[in-house]
């Protein structure tokens, strides 16, 4: 593997080797990460990276697009079939540009949008003041209820009626519960707002049939393709056909230039993989694993935001363990578990410290781990917390984590 890189650039080859070793040895629990297939990676490393293809299939600004046209057409067709969508744009470079496209297709700078607050599980691109979405638009936010830490749809409706945003944005990056799309739809209809749903985190669960789909309820659905969907790093937009001209025009030339055709083709591979029965099994296991991990953590006295999970992730408030999210992230890293600190609803700590840790099962499930392994990992976490001052115990736990990871080979033969 990496023969050419090794010959031309040993420095980068060493980095690639080290990263493969890190991914193999550690227990990867960042909820937005996954291990894509070799087929997806081969496609990303192909000659399609050389091609400029501004425009859309059969309507390009460059010659020589015959093959990339076929790849993009296939990717679109598969995306529409996979999600039951009327139209798909597979060109967004990322979830952020997908969201930018979706917003600008309907809104003018200064218009009002209503999205889930970042500190309650939302995303930067849902109106945070430091992001384009908060800089360009007047952003207001809905929250979860302090009682059950789930979205408070009554309050959301009150806010929507009082503020009359032009767009409501659903979706999250740290929300462990199902969404009530019907409620979002009816609120949006009451105020004649556009309803956009960012399903980046749950797209693979939707594709695998283990999470309700936002597609029938929303005007536009955006996503990334590299989280639970397990494809290449990139974005995706699904929309009703009436809006699609606007979406296409806003994606190119509005927001982006030339599409990354090697990534577009890799998205086609990903969608094909997602249509297989094995992917449905994978989606089921992601959810079963998250539930098992949650139960095992609850048994060990951890506080799960909202009390549990319906999807692939858990948000754990570690304040009752005498730790901040930052300290927990560092502790887990010490014992070979990769995760990220995360604010929890009504957090008193800053976003650099936080009170929470976000845990996800997509990557470990791809490695073939099941519910027994999730219980072992919860136990490992618990022992790490209890022995956080004891370096000897912590290095023993790291050995256990590496041994567990080694039982589920990653990219064998690479
Ligand atoms: N950074 C991603 C996540 O970790 O959820 C969202 O874009």
């Amino acid at each position: 593997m990496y023969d050419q890189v090794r010959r031309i650039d040993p420095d980068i080859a060493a980095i690639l080797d080290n990263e493969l070793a890190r991914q193999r040895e550690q227990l990867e629990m960042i909820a937005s990460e996954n291990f894509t297939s070799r087929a997806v990676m081969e496609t990303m490393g192909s000659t399609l990276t050389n091609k400029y293809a501004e425009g859309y299939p059969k309507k390009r600004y460059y010659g020589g697009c015959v093959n990339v046209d076929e790849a993009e057409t296939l990717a679109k067709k598969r995306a529409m079939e996979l999600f039951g969508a009327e139209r798909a744009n597979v060109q967004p470079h990322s979830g952020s540009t997908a969201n930018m496209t979706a917003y600008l297709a309907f809104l003018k700078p200064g218009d009002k949008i209503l999205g889930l607050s970042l500190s309650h599980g939302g995303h930067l691109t849902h109106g945070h003041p430091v992001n384009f979405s908060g800089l360009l638009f007047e952003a207001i936010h809905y929250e979860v209820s302090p009682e059950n830490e789930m979205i408070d749809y009554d309050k959301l409706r009150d806010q929507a009626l009082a503020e009359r945003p032009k767009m409501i944005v659903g979706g999250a990056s740290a929300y462990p519960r199902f969404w009530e799309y019907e409620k979002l739809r009816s609120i949006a209809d009451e105020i004649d707002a556009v309803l956009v749903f960012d399903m980046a985190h749950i797209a693979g669960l939707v594709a695998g049939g283990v999470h309700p789909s936002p597609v029938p309820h929303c005007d536009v659905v955006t996503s990334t393709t590299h989280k639970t969907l397990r494809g290449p790093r990139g974005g995706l937009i699904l929309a009703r056909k009436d809006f699609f001209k606007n979406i296409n025009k806003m994606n190119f030339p509005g927001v982006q230039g030339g599409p990354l055709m090697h990534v577009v083709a890799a998205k086609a591979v990903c969608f094909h993989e997602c249509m297989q029965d094995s992917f449905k099994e994978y989606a089921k296991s992601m959810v079963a694993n998250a539930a098992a991990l949650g139960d095992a953590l609850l048994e060990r006295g951890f506080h799960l935001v909202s009390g549990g999970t319906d999807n692939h992730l858990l948000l754990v408030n570690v304040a009752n363990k005498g730790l901040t999210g930052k300290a927990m992230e560092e502790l887990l890293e010490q014992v070979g578990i990769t995760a990220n600190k995360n604010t929890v609803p009504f957090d008193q700590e800053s976003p650099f410290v936080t009170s929470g840790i976000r845990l996800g099962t997509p990557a470990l499930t791809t490695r073939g781990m099941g519910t027994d392994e999730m219980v072992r990992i919860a136990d490992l976490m618990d022992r790490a917390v209890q022995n956080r001052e004891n370096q000897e115990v912590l290095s023993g736990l790291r050995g256990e984590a590496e041994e567990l990871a080694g039982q589920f080979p990653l990219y064998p033969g690479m």
Side-chain angles (χ1 to χ4, degrees):
M1 191 67 188
Y2 307 136
D3 294 350
Q4 297 302 317
V5 190
R6 219 172 289 291
R7 194 169 61 76
I8 306 275
D9 189 340
D11 296 334
I12 287 292
I15 291 169
L16 299 181
D17 287 341
N18 290 342
E19 179 57 14
L20 176 58
R22 188 194 69 80
Q23 291 188 14
R24 281 178 170 159
E25 283 162 17
Q26 297 195 356
L27 296 172
E28 178 54 71
M29 302 197 77
I30 292 177
S32 49
E33 293 188 12
N34 212 331
F35 301 120
T36 198
S37 70
R38 295 286 300 270
V40 165
M41 278 198 270
E42 272 177 18
T43 311
M44 279 195 284
S46 70
T47 52
L48 270 54
T49 193
N50 299 331
K51 192 71 199 95
Y52 252 121
E54 274 152 304
Y56 290 100
K58 301 223 160 76
K59 283 181 226 142
R60 306 281 190 188
Y61 290 83
Y62 291 84
C65 286
V66 53
N67 298 311
V68 293
D69 271 7
E70 273 187 45
E72 182 166 347
T73 303
L74 209 48
K76 283 165 60 137
K77 184 171 157 276
R78 288 176 181 170
M80 289 187 275
E81 191 182 329
L82 183 64
F83 292 108
E86 288 181 8
R87 294 289 185 273
N89 186 313
V90 293
Q91 291 193 4
H93 301 329
S94 68
S96 296
T97 60
N99 284 343
M100 186 184 258
T101 294
Y103 301 169
L104 287 170
F106 293 97
L107 305 176
K108 298 261 169 296
D111 282 347
K112 204 180 273 183
I113 63 171
L114 172 61
L116 178 62
S117 156
L118 180 64
S119 60
H120 286 236
H123 189 253
L124 275 174
T125 58
H126 298 183
H128 195 278
V130 300
N131 179 261
F132 81 86
S133 54
L135 294 167
L136 279 185
F137 305 109
E138 186 187 340
I140 49 172
H141 291 103
Y142 55 94
E143 297 188 341
V144 300
S145 128
E147 278 83 46
N148 61 12
E149 297 174 314
M150 298 191 209
I151 287 165
D152 187 337
Y153 290 93
D154 292 333
K155 218 165 142 200
L156 194 169
R157 178 173 178 269
D158 291 345
Q159 256 177 304
L161 293 183
E163 298 273 358
R164 306 197 80 80
K166 287 217 169 130
M167 178 177 281
I168 298 180
V169 182
S173 59
Y175 185 65
R177 293 301 183 175
F178 286 147
W179 284 79
E180 299 191 43
Y181 307 119
E182 292 85 352
K183 287 190 181 163
L184 289 180
R185 178 77 264 170
S186 103
I187 297 167
D189 286 345
E190 270 189 271
I191 56 165
D192 208 16
V194 179
L195 180 58
V196 172
F197 194 90
D198 176 350
M199 67 165 179
H201 261 269
I202 54 170
L205 308 182
V206 172
V210 295
H211 193 292
S213 171
V215 172
H217 308 278
C218 301
D219 301 307
V220 180
V221 174
T222 61
S223 186
T224 55
T225 48
H226 52 271
K227 298 186 175 87
T228 49
L229 216 44
R230 210 164 56 179
R233 190 159 290 278
L236 167 71
I237 304 175
L238 306 170
R240 301 235 178 98
K241 58 175 184 289
D242 340 346
F243 306 131
F244 211 58
K245 259 196 176 154
N246 274 0
I247 295 279
N248 275 353
K249 251 171 56 188
M250 194 44 75
N251 187 71
F252 170 82
V255 169
Q256 293 188 172
L260 312 174
M261 294 314 299
H262 55 308
V263 180
V264 167
K267 287 174 192 172
V269 176
C270 155
F271 301 142
H272 175 72
E273 290 176 347
C274 290
M275 286 172 191
Q276 310 309 311
D277 287 343
S278 54
F279 191 85
K280 291 191 177 70
E281 287 308 312
Y282 167 63
K284 263 191 223 158
S285 300
M286 271 191 278
V287 173
N289 281 347
L293 180 66
D295 288 345
L297 288 170
L298 283 172
E299 277 170 26
R300 288 159 181 80
F302 285 89
H303 172 89
L304 304 187
V305 170
S306 84
T309 179
D310 296 324
N311 58 28
H312 63 297
L313 69 82
L314 298 153
L315 192 55
V316 189
N317 185 335
V318 290
N320 69 335
K321 297 283 182 185
L323 286 164
T324 62
K326 182 170 185 279
M328 185 69 177
E329 180 188 306
E330 286 163 4
L331 181 64
L332 292 181
E333 182 112 41
Q334 264 188 288
V335 299
I337 298 172
T338 313
N340 65 282
K341 60 178 177 281
N342 213 104
T343 47
V344 296
F346 313 101
D347 210 323
Q348 300 300 311
E349 303 284 356
S350 79
F352 297 105
V353 178
T354 80
S355 301
I357 191 97
R358 189 182 63 162
L359 301 170
T361 55
L364 293 185
T365 308
T366 293
R367 287 185 84 148
M369 291 192 193
T371 53
D372 289 348
E373 285 73 35
M374 296 303 119
V375 176
R376 278 186 68 185
I377 291 170
D379 190 55
L380 233 139
M381 289 179 181
D382 187 35
R383 283 185 288 148
V385 168
Q386 289 183 33
N387 296 283
R388 55 188 182 260
E389 308 297 345
N390 187 332
Q391 285 309 316
E392 207 178 318
V393 174
L394 294 181
S395 73
L397 293 176
R398 187 178 181 98
E400 276 186 48
E402 284 180 7
E403 196 214 310
L404 178 60
Q407 289 168 22
F408 295 85
L410 178 65
Y411 299 127
M414 194 185 251

